[in-house]
Amino acid sequence: MGKNKLSNLLSSTPLYAKLLISALLLAALILILITQLHHWHFGRSPAAPLSAHPAPPPHATPYDPNTTIQFDFSPYVRLYKNGRVERLSGTEIVSAGLDTATGVKSKDVIINSTTGLSARVYLPKLNTSKEEKFPILLYFHGGAFVIESPFSPTYHDYLNVLVSKARVVAVSVNYRRAPEYWLPVAYRDSFKAYKWTVRNSKSGSEKWLYKYGDLNRLFLAGDSAGGNIAHNIMTMYGAKAKGLALLNPYFWGKKPVGMETTDPKERRKLEVTWEFVCNNRYSIDHPLVNPMGSPSVWKRLSSQHVLMTLSELDEFKERGKAYVEGLKKSGWKGEAKMYETKGEGHVYFLYQPKSEKAVKEMAFVASFLNSS
């Protein structure tokens, strides 16, 4: 009975209506199939939005060249994949001028406007009753070749006191640093600053040098990486000076010397940081970092007076001792002095300037700059 009624209904339905109903049923079927295929292929609800860049799994960090570190030289600097440099210390600066505690005056000068090479020049308090000529000190700051400057409070304060105690005209060099400028840029800048100092001590635009400086008493000095620079612009670049003061200088090498650590991890760590600052241009036994491995270096040392200061707990102490021993064995005819501070670490005198030990060491350095 039911089948007859359905047959009668369909037979009485117009053709166009039958076609419309068939099309609607076919469209509904296709839509159902598409929805099921989409859900099966992507594994998610049809209503869930799709992303061209799926989210990373939990705990994963998306790659970002702005935040991905290429080299971590903490606690000094970080270099990121996109070339961004983040200095972690030694970035603060103070102005030049009169230091009321010592009477020392300072000013900033441009040595090369193209490269930005500059310096801070210091003049001790003058005796108004007579004209004086002072020794000239060309100073190179430390900071692992990557941080600090002559304008930081640390070095500005140190130079004010040293200039006052030693009675010298000082030029503190603002050389360009890694990683924006790999070694040997710092050496080249420093040698250019040396030539500028010599030129202006004879005649030039910097009257503090030619009026008050005695070029016959020119000294090169530096701490840590700056000590390395002072040594190298004399032995590798040909600078000439009466004296050379190396304050806890940075030198290293593949094989341990003296009582140096033999821990492969510790030694490799220092190798890697040297490779970083020179962009793998020089090996850890290159004369720039290991002069003790190249005895011929001493033949190019023009100075007749060398001061080496050491700190007992400094990892570079043994290198300083080996430097003096190598110098004496080389046939060098000058005088080498060594001063060691017990119970202190690397360049402690910069961070504890008023401590009894730092005051004593400062007096010894000042004496060297005046008596040599």
Side-chain angles (χ1 to χ4, degrees):
M1 184 72 180
K3 292 182 178 179
N4 292 334
K5 288 183 177 181
L6 179 61
S7 298
N8 293 334
L9 178 63
L10 291 173
S11 62
S12 63
T13 303
L15 179 60
Y16 73 87
K18 291 179 181 179
L19 293 174
L20 178 61
I21 292 170
S22 298
L24 290 172
L25 289 172
L26 181 60
L29 180 60
I30 292 172
L31 181 61
I32 291 170
L33 288 172
I34 291 174
T35 300
Q36 291 301 316
L37 286 171
H38 188 281
H39 178 72
W40 171 78
H41 182 71
F42 290 99
R44 63 176 74 205
S45 168
L50 295 175
S51 171
H53 303 284
H59 312 301
T61 302
Y63 176 80
D64 181 354
N66 295 304
T67 58
T68 302
I69 297 173
Q70 178 175 320
F71 191 87
D72 192 345
F73 193 1
S74 296
Y76 307 116
V77 71
R78 292 192 187 107
L79 175 64
Y80 290 84
K81 285 285 188 180
N82 68 345
R84 180 169 68 93
V85 176
E86 179 188 14
R87 287 192 165 80
L88 307 176
S89 62
T91 58
E92 187 180 355
I93 62 174
V94 293
S95 300
L98 174 65
D99 180 60
T100 56
T102 61
V104 171
K105 294 180 181 178
S106 60
K107 61 182 176 180
D108 297 334
V109 298
I110 300 296
I111 296 175
N112 188 312
S113 59
T114 302
T115 64
L117 176 61
S118 62
R120 180 161 288 183
V121 184
Y122 294 81
L123 182 69
K125 187 176 182 179
L126 301 175
N127 186 337
T128 56
S129 64
K130 62 177 182 178
E131 289 190 4
E132 296 180 90
K133 284 279 192 178
F134 305 102
I136 299 172
L137 173 65
L138 186 60
Y139 194 88
F140 307 98
H141 69 82
F145 299 102
V146 297
I147 61 168
E148 290 291 356
S149 76
F151 317 126
S152 75
T154 298
Y155 283 97
H156 182 63
D157 292 346
Y158 182 77
L159 265 294
N160 274 325
V161 176
L162 181 57
V163 167
S164 175
K165 297 293 184 183
R167 304 285 292 163
V168 295
V169 178
V171 178
S172 184
V173 181
N174 186 38
Y175 55 84
R176 288 174 290 174
R177 305 163 300 184
E180 295 94 335
Y181 302 96
W182 306 111
L183 292 180
V185 171
Y187 298 128
R188 292 171 179 168
D189 280 354
S190 298
F191 186 59
K192 288 176 182 177
Y194 159 80
K195 293 193 290 185
W196 178 89
T197 300
V198 170
R199 185 171 63 251
N200 278 272
S201 298
K202 297 175 179 177
S203 63
S205 60
E206 185 40 63
K207 70 175 185 178
W208 282 5
L209 283 171
Y210 74 76
K211 185 175 182 180
Y212 300 110
D214 181 357
L215 189 56
N216 292 321
R217 292 183 289 165
L218 172 63
F219 290 82
L220 307 185
D223 65 277
S224 193
N228 176 289
I229 291 173
H231 159 82
N232 279 308
I233 69 162
M234 183 174 286
T235 58
M236 304 296 283
Y237 285 79
K240 300 182 183 302
K242 182 178 181 181
L244 176 65
L246 306 177
L247 315 179
N248 292 192
Y250 163 73
F251 296 113
W252 201 244
K254 192 73 174 180
K255 295 180 179 179
V257 299
M259 301 298 291
E260 274 182 358
T261 180
T262 57
D263 184 343
K265 290 183 178 179
E266 288 299 312
R267 300 196 67 81
R268 181 56 187 157
K269 182 176 69 175
L270 288 168
E271 282 189 48
V272 168
T273 54
W274 168 254
E275 291 168 357
F276 172 68
V277 298
C278 71
N279 200 25
N280 290 293
R281 182 167 184 164
Y282 309 110
S283 76
I284 196 64
D285 279 328
H286 191 280
L288 287 170
V289 67
N290 185 18
M292 289 69 74
S294 303
S296 60
V297 164
W298 310 125
K299 296 178 181 179
R300 299 194 290 269
L301 189 69
S302 65
S303 171
Q304 293 302 301
H305 303 276
V306 172
L307 169 63
M308 174 71 68
T309 74
L310 311 170
S311 296
E312 182 184 18
L313 306 181
D314 184 2
E315 61 189 343
F316 302 122
K317 177 189 69 173
E318 296 297 323
R319 291 280 155 176
K321 289 182 176 181
Y323 182 104
V324 173
E325 292 171 4
L327 187 58
K328 291 179 177 179
K329 290 178 181 178
S330 71
W332 176 72
K333 303 301 182 181
E335 177 188 24
K337 296 180 179 179
M338 195 157 53
Y339 182 95
E340 183 174 352
T341 300
K342 301 294 184 181
E344 296 293 349
H346 190 59
V347 295
Y348 77 96
F349 47 83
L350 293 174
Y351 309 106
Q352 308 169 41
K354 295 183 180 179
S355 69
E356 182 180 352
K357 294 176 182 177
V359 170
K360 286 180 66 177
E361 181 164 336
M362 173 70 76
F364 195 88
V365 174
S367 175
F368 171 78
L369 298 176
N370 276 279
S371 61
S372 298

